[in-house]
Amino acid sequence: MNPITRLPPLTAMRVLEAIRIAGSVTGAARHLNLSHSAVSHQVAALEAWSSTPLFIRRGRRTELTEAGQSLAEITQQAFDSIRHEVDRLPIRGLQVVSVGAIPMVAQLWMPSILPDLARDLPHLSLHLGFALFDRPARLAPNLLISFAHRDRLHHGDRLLFSGRAAPVCAPHLLESHGNDPLRVLLEARKIHDEDSRLWRSWQEAARLPFDESAEPSRISIEESSLIRAASIAGAGVAICRLDLIRKDLAAGRLVQLSDIVIDTSFFYYLRAAPSLRGHPDVTRAADWLVARAKRDRGTN
């Protein structure tokens, strides 16, 4: 079936959204500034379109079924995305270079370099947002900053930082274990990533026992910037990406507990949208970001 003809009429979907918001046909009519009969007509059109009941009548009141509620919720999300994009149309017209970065980079690195980027590229308009693996972007960014194993990189991707990682903790947690790195590694609570892969890999490399069942309690955190924050707060020992916590180590907010590192084949990388490779503004922004990352990681 044609994907366009599978959809109900747009006006009917607006009515469905309004019924969910207002809670009734009468409220939807008020919300849309339409007559009650006009809204009832669209309800009838939806009932004729769907083989699954979307509405249930209780006396004179028309309510949404579970299926109707689900479709209305998705409809509202879709309309909200359209409204959001309409609001951003003026920005799109300014030839803005959009950068989508995973949270660890977006929160920790990008804000600190923006003043210098604005100074060096004064005519460049930039939009910075999150690139989340579990949520597709409304509009793909011109430049994507993400994280992957070397084998997953594409031709044309440019490396920003190494993903090498090692165990770290807050200074006061180390002090509470007699300033003995091995003791804090063996005794302190561990902060895990979602599947404990980092700790499993590191303890294998360090030839230390790894037994999740032996831990009296554990903290599991799914995102690197939250793992870093929990480590600084002293919640436990964590495996962190060293290139992105250099300032924390230098300032004494975190202490590296071992010289043994893992994930040396993982990288934070920059990827330009294929259709915009060679675009002057995108190229200038990409070149600047790569050069700045090179400077920040202390290499020539």
Side-chain angles (χ1 to χ4, degrees), residues 222-285:
E222 67 179 49
E223 204 282 309
S224 295
S225 61
L226 297 179
I227 291 175
R228 165 191 169 265
S231 306
I232 291 174
V237 182
I239 307 289
C240 287
R241 310 288 176 186
L242 297 177
D243 272 10
L244 289 182
I245 61 164
R246 290 180 318 280
K247 291 184 179 179
D248 296 323
L249 295 170
R253 290 185 289 269
L254 289 171
V255 178
Q256 185 175 337
L257 298 171
S258 172
D259 292 331
I260 298 172
V261 298
I262 58 169
D263 281 7
T264 56
S265 295
F266 284 81
F267 295 91
Y268 293 93
Y269 64 90
L270 180 72
R271 176 178 296 166
S275 61
L276 290 170
R277 288 176 188 160
H279 185 284
D281 282 346
V282 173
T283 299
R284 277 193 289 270

Side-chain angles (χ1 to χ4, degrees), residues 159-172:
L159 303 185
L160 296 177
F161 300 104
S162 167
R164 63 195 186 96
V168 299
C169 74
H172 69 267

Side-chain angles (χ1 to χ4, degrees), residues 57-209:
R57 285 168 176 80
R58 303 184 189 280
R60 299 181 62 183
R61 186 176 179 84
T62 300
E63 298 178 356
L64 294 173
T65 64
E66 183 178 350
Q69 284 282 2
S70 178
L71 182 59
E73 181 178 347
I74 295 300
T75 299
Q76 185 172 357
Q77 291 173 6
F79 281 143
D80 283 345
S81 294
I82 295 171
R83 294 179 187 109
H84 177 75
E85 191 57 33
V86 168
D87 290 341
R88 294 182 64 184
L89 284 177
I91 298 176
R92 300 288 187 205
L94 295 176
Q95 296 184 329
V96 173
V97 174
S98 58
V99 179
I102 57 177
M104 185 69 166
V105 176
Q107 294 172 337
L108 205 58
W109 186 58
M110 289 298 298
S112 69
I113 67 171
L114 287 178
D116 290 345
L117 190 152
R119 180 199 64 212
D120 295 342
L121 301 177
H123 302 297
L124 181 74
S125 295
L126 186 75
H127 175 266
L128 174 62
F130 286 124
L132 303 176
F133 295 117
D134 60 347
R135 190 190 317 165
R138 288 191 177 97
L139 193 65
N142 306 148
L143 294 171
L144 170 71
I145 299 176
S146 196
F147 183 79
H149 189 276
R150 183 187 288 277
D151 293 344
R152 301 289 299 276
L153 299 179
H154 296 180
H155 177 71
D157 289 348
R158 304 172 70 177
L159 303 185
L160 296 177
F161 300 104
S162 167
R164 63 195 186 96
V168 299
C169 74
H172 69 267
L173 184 62
L174 179 60
E175 291 170 9
S176 70
H177 289 76
N179 285 312
D180 183 341
L182 180 59
R183 183 182 162 196
V184 76
L185 282 166
L186 293 175
E187 297 178 1
R189 178 186 287 114
K190 292 177 176 60
I191 300 172
H192 292 264
D193 55 318
E194 283 182 286
D195 57 8
S196 297
R197 184 193 70 81
L198 289 174
W199 270 114
R200 191 178 295 110
S201 298
W202 185 85
Q203 293 191 234
E204 180 179 334
R207 298 184 179 179
L208 291 176

